[in-house]
Amino acid sequence: MHSAVNRYIITGGSGSGKSSIIKDLQARGYTCYPEISRMLIKEQQDLGGDLLPWKNMKGFAGECFNRMKDQLNDDHDQPAFFDRGIPDIIAYLKSRNLAFSFDYAAYASCYNSLVFICPPWQEIFVNDRQRPESFNESKHIHLLLKKVYRELNFKVIDIPRLSVSERVEFILSRIER
């Protein structure tokens, strides 16, 4: 396995601003990996497939895991940012009271021990075709994500509710220490 030192996860419930932060980081020249789950949902909707979290969560989780593992093949000399990490899969399975058959937790060590979490934020939350969850469901998954990451010995850092560029500056200031 490659060094985890420069792999940073940005996580949080749906609609909390993760993707906006990732886009800003990418615009600043950082290597960034998009949210696999959102891409898979769009693909499945376009194909009429059933690998959707609301139809087949276990199958969906397995495919997300395979694709997220592929994201870990690159080694990074500079910080790289991931819109969700493999531990997110555990939280989403727990949200449905489902066990996980793959050793998702073993992949926690593939990332830096700092994980940045976007809190639920009603003012920026929106639903769309790939995000049918309610704001209350987003708040629930936020709590599960925090719990799972802490159980996996990550240091969970709450990203304050600020402008996108200020949120990015907050993250960069934490990793440059």
Side-chain angles (χ1 to χ4, degrees):
M1 297 234 182
H2 299 292
S3 169
V5 173
N6 285 317
R7 292 192 191 116
Y8 294 93
I9 296 169
I10 298 174
T11 191
S14 294
S16 59
K18 298 176 306 302
S19 298
S20 297
I21 291 169
I22 290 288
K23 285 178 190 158
D24 190 296
L25 285 162
Q26 197 163 25
R28 293 177 190 223
Y30 289 95
T31 300
C32 295
Y33 294 87
E35 184 180 354
I36 293 289
S37 54
R38 213 168 153 75
M39 291 169 30
L40 179 57
I41 290 169
K42 182 167 179 8
E43 282 174 24
Q44 289 296 302
Q45 287 174 330
D46 291 348
L47 294 169
D50 77 339
L51 280 183
L52 296 163
W54 50 89
K55 284 187 178 179
N56 177 0
M57 178 56 105
K58 286 199 75 102
F60 177 79
E63 182 60 23
C64 284
F65 174 67
N66 290 331
R67 294 183 187 197
M68 290 169 110
K69 275 193 321 190
D70 289 344
Q71 288 182 329
L72 297 173
N73 287 334
D74 300 332
D75 211 3
H76 302 282
D77 295 330
Q78 300 297 317
F81 298 92
F82 295 78
D83 191 335
R84 300 199 179 282
I86 290 174
D88 282 53
I89 298 170
I90 299 168
Y92 274 87
L93 287 168
K94 284 185 173 199
S95 76
R96 305 278 175 89
N97 295 314
L98 295 170
F100 46 96
S101 55
F102 301 106
D103 193 5
Y104 298 136
Y107 281 84
S109 64
C110 293
Y111 302 97
N112 189 286
S113 62
L114 293 181
V115 64
F116 297 93
I117 189 165
C118 295
W121 192 353
Q122 180 78 58
E123 289 75 19
I124 67 169
F125 180 85
V126 292
N127 289 100
D128 61 28
R129 202 161 164 248
Q130 285 82 44
R131 184 190 301 136
E133 301 96 343
S134 69
F135 183 68
N136 281 340
E137 288 168 316
S138 180
K139 290 194 306 190
H140 176 68
I141 199 68
H142 170 80
L143 296 174
L144 279 172
L145 287 163
K146 273 186 127 164
K147 183 176 189 293
V148 165
Y149 276 100
R150 285 183 175 142
E151 286 171 354
L152 294 172
N153 298 314
F154 282 88
K155 180 179 180 191
V156 178
I157 299 174
D158 291 297
I159 300 173
R161 292 181 184 102
L162 301 166
S163 71
V164 174
S165 63
E166 289 171 313
R167 293 175 116 192
V168 168
E169 290 299 327
F170 174 85
I171 292 166
L172 294 176
S173 74
R174 296 307 179 279
I175 68 171
E176 291 167 357
R177 288 183 178 170

